[in-house]
């Protein structure tokens, strides 16, 4: 079975084509600058050089058309025909309280995703454009949606409610939803395999540290608490997002700096975090380079970033009353020995003992970076959200075939 995985943004669209027999990626790529006359489509067939084409792509239906054209291209394509695609799986950021798992797209599901536009105004409308674009190009092909929030629907009320008037939850569904759920779920399962223990018996803290960053307490295989909240702004310090701040700063800064709501929102989402403190970049590689060159602001940004993550790890160990393993994943988590070392060196009270050599070694594999006698294991597990989307899509299509 061949599954096309799509992550549609407002002006870009990423895709991967999977062959589910061996879970191989046959091709991947993206279309960027959708809406412009010089949109860029890039296409990487497995094991072959990347193709890049610039053309006018004004909306998502044309972007999907372009993806399909590349997939069946006579010279560099990987499919004989578009009919070879059995199903399409979409990443959808917000599933609210309606979705605790992946589902086949039908009219009710589309209506519900639309109803959730308010909660994820930057993401869900773009995902919907992706769903409609596939429908327009391949009306017969079944589609599945996989939600970033779904894994966190197991959180108990003490984790997901905010201590504010209940009417805001009851009327407007203001609560913690959490994000990066597909990644936290995937690395937790891999962690159990690496530890050779049943996931249902483990207390894990999964740290997805990329441009966006979140940390999840995974108890007995379920999300128990997570650092992102009603939106992805809460929690850890990130590339350009502030993470946790005193909410009273918002009206105060608005008054002092004469900011509008839109401006303060943009400040906290796009001009804070590593970027704001270092004054250099939101990219951890540049922060590390500047630190090595002696830049004090970069060093402060790194220190705050690490400290805030470490505080969450301490809090979640307390929340679960125990901890078996800490898992690092995503761009920074997988690739920065410096960040992992800074965090783990200060967690000795929990029984964390880092194997410095294993931490410094580079590898694309799942691996343990704590010593044999470390009471809490430390693991690095490369995430693969696209594979989870492909697997969920595959499973739902198989279920449907069995039912019919
Ligand atoms: P992601 O959002 O998962 O793609 O992660 C992006 C982040 O990972 C950026 O801040 C990158 O600087 C960071 N990153 C990627 N490679 C490295 C590396 N080798 N060392 C440190 N940070 C890295």
């Amino acid at each position: 079975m061949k599954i096309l995985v799509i992550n549609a943004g407002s002006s870009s669209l990423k895709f991967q084509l999977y062959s589910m027999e061996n879970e191989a990626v046959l091709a991947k790529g993206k279309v960027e600058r959708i809406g412009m006359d010089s949109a860029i489509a890039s296409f990487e067939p497995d094991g072959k050089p990347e193709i890049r084409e610039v053309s006018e792509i004004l909306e998502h239906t044309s972007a999907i058309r372009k993806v399909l054209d590349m997939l069946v291209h006579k010279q560099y394509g990987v499919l004989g025909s578009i009919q070879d695609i059995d199903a399409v799986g979409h990443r959808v950021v917000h599933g609210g309280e309606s979705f605790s798992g992946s589902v086949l797209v039908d009219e009710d599901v589309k209506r519900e995703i639309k109803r959730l536009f308010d909660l994820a105004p930057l993401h869900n409308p773009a995902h919907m454009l992706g769903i409609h674009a596939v429908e327009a190009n391949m009306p017969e092909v079944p589609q599945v949606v996989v939600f970033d929030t779904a894994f966190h629907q197991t959180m108990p009320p003490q984790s997901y409610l905010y201590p504010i008037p209940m009417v805001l939850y009851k009327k407007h569904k203001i609560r913690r939803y959490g994000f990066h759920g597909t990644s936290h779920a995937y690395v937790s399962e891999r962690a159990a395999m690496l530890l050779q223990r049943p996931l249902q018996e483990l207390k894990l803290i999964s740290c997805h540290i990329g441009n966006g960053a979140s940390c999840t307490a995974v108890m007995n295989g379920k999300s128990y608490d997570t650092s992102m909240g009603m939106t992805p702004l809460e929690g850890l310090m990130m590339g350009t997002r502030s993470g946790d701040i005193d909410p009273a700063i918002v009206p105060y800064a608005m008054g002092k700096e004469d900011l509008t709501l839109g401006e303060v929102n943009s400040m906290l989402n796009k001009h804070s975090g590593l970027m704001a403190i270092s004054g250099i970049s939101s990219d951890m590689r540049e922060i590390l380079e500047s630190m090595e060159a002696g830049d004090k602001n970069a060093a402060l940004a790194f220190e705050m970033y690490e400290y805030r993550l470490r505080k969450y790890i301490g809090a979640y160990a307390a929340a679960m009353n125990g901890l078996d393993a800490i898992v690092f994943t995503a761009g920074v988590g997988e690739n920065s020995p410096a960040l992992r070392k800074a965090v783990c060196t200060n967690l000795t009270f929990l029984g964390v003992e880092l194997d410095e050599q294993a931490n410094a070694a580079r590898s694309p594999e799942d691996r343990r970076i704590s010593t044999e006698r470390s009471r809490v294991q430390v693991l690095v597990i490369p995430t693969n959200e696209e594979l989870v989307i492909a697997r969920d899509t595959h499973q739902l299509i198989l279920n449907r075939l069995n039912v019919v």
Side-chain angles (χ1 to χ4, degrees), residues 17-26 190 384 387 390-391 394:
L17 180 71
Y18 276 88
S19 169
M20 294 315 289
E21 283 65 38
N22 50 357
E23 295 190 336
V25 177
L26 301 177
R190 302 285 298 194
N384 196 340
L387 178 60
R391 281 181 181 165
H394 187 215

Side-chain angles (χ1 to χ4, degrees), residues 98-109:
S98 320
F99 300 104
S100 56
S102 306
V103 289
L104 276 160
V105 174
D106 60 18
E107 290 308 313
D108 288 343
V109 167

Side-chain angles (χ1 to χ4, degrees), residues 20-276:
M20 294 315 289
E21 283 65 38
N22 50 357
E23 295 190 336
V25 177
L26 301 177
K28 62 181 175 182
K30 54 184 179 241
V31 182
E32 292 166 289
R33 299 156 60 102
I34 299 172
M36 297 195 174
D37 54 9
S38 57
I40 305 166
S42 50
F43 185 72
E44 273 180 74
D46 182 38
K48 295 197 193 133
E50 186 181 356
I51 315 286
R52 275 169 75 86
E53 286 175 16
V54 178
S55 62
E56 180 181 88
I57 298 178
L58 295 180
E59 29 60 50
H60 286 66
T61 303
S62 312
I64 291 286
R65 182 77 250 155
K66 181 76 196 168
V67 171
L68 297 176
D69 286 348
M70 292 192 292
L71 286 170
V72 299
H73 196 276
K74 279 210 177 66
Q75 268 96 51
Y76 56 76
V78 294
L79 292 176
S81 143
I82 290 169
Q83 268 79 45
D84 295 345
I85 299 172
D86 296 287
V88 176
H90 293 266
R91 175 199 180 207
V92 174
V93 163
H94 221 305
E97 287 188 324
S98 320
F99 300 104
S100 56
S102 306
V103 289
L104 276 160
V105 174
D106 60 18
E107 290 308 313
D108 288 343
V109 167
K110 283 195 285 189
R111 228 184 336 268
E112 197 53 30
I113 295 173
K114 235 184 222 163
R115 220 179 47 81
L116 295 166
F117 277 7
D118 261 2
L119 284 174
L122 299 179
H123 293 103
N124 276 24
H127 303 320
M128 191 56 105
L129 289 175
I131 293 168
H132 283 144
V134 169
E135 243 170 36
N137 281 288
M138 300 186 281
E140 305 302 325
V141 175
Q143 303 192 68
V144 165
V145 278
V146 179
F147 300 94
D148 277 25
T149 49
F151 179 59
H152 300 299
Q153 280 297 300
T154 52
M155 284 190 292
Q158 74 205 49
S159 302
Y160 72 69
L161 286 175
Y162 292 113
I164 55 177
M166 275 301 264
V167 64
L168 293 173
Y169 169 59
K170 291 197 173 137
K171 247 172 95 179
H172 304 295
K173 296 291 171 207
I174 294 178
R175 52 159 284 179
R176 177 184 310 287
Y177 291 98
F179 299 87
H180 295 143
T182 16
S183 176
H184 291 299
Y186 175 78
V187 301
S188 302
E189 268 177 38
R190 302 285 298 194
M193 285 160 74
L194 191 61
L195 296 169
Q196 297 187 313
R197 289 181 57 191
L199 181 57
Q200 288 68 24
E201 288 175 10
L202 289 171
K203 292 175 178 175
L204 304 171
I205 297 177
S206 157
C207 307
H208 177 111
I209 315 294
N211 235 331
S214 73
C215 164
T216 297
V218 182
M219 187 150 68
N220 311 329
K222 294 184 175 146
S223 173
Y224 183 74
D225 203 349
T226 192
S227 60
M228 283 180 168
M230 185 182 93
T231 76
L233 181 57
E234 194 183 347
L236 302 173
M237 175 170 162
M238 308 178 213
T240 61
R241 293 185 206 135
S242 63
D244 297 336
I245 62 163
D246 178 347
I249 292 170
V250 172
Y252 190 81
M254 284 174 76
K256 291 285 176 192
E257 288 286 315
D258 208 12
L259 300 173
T260 62
L261 261 181
E263 284 166 342
V264 84
N265 205 18
S266 161
M267 175 186 89
L268 295 173
N269 277 290
K270 298 188 182 145
H271 306 286
S272 293
L274 286 175
M275 183 70 231

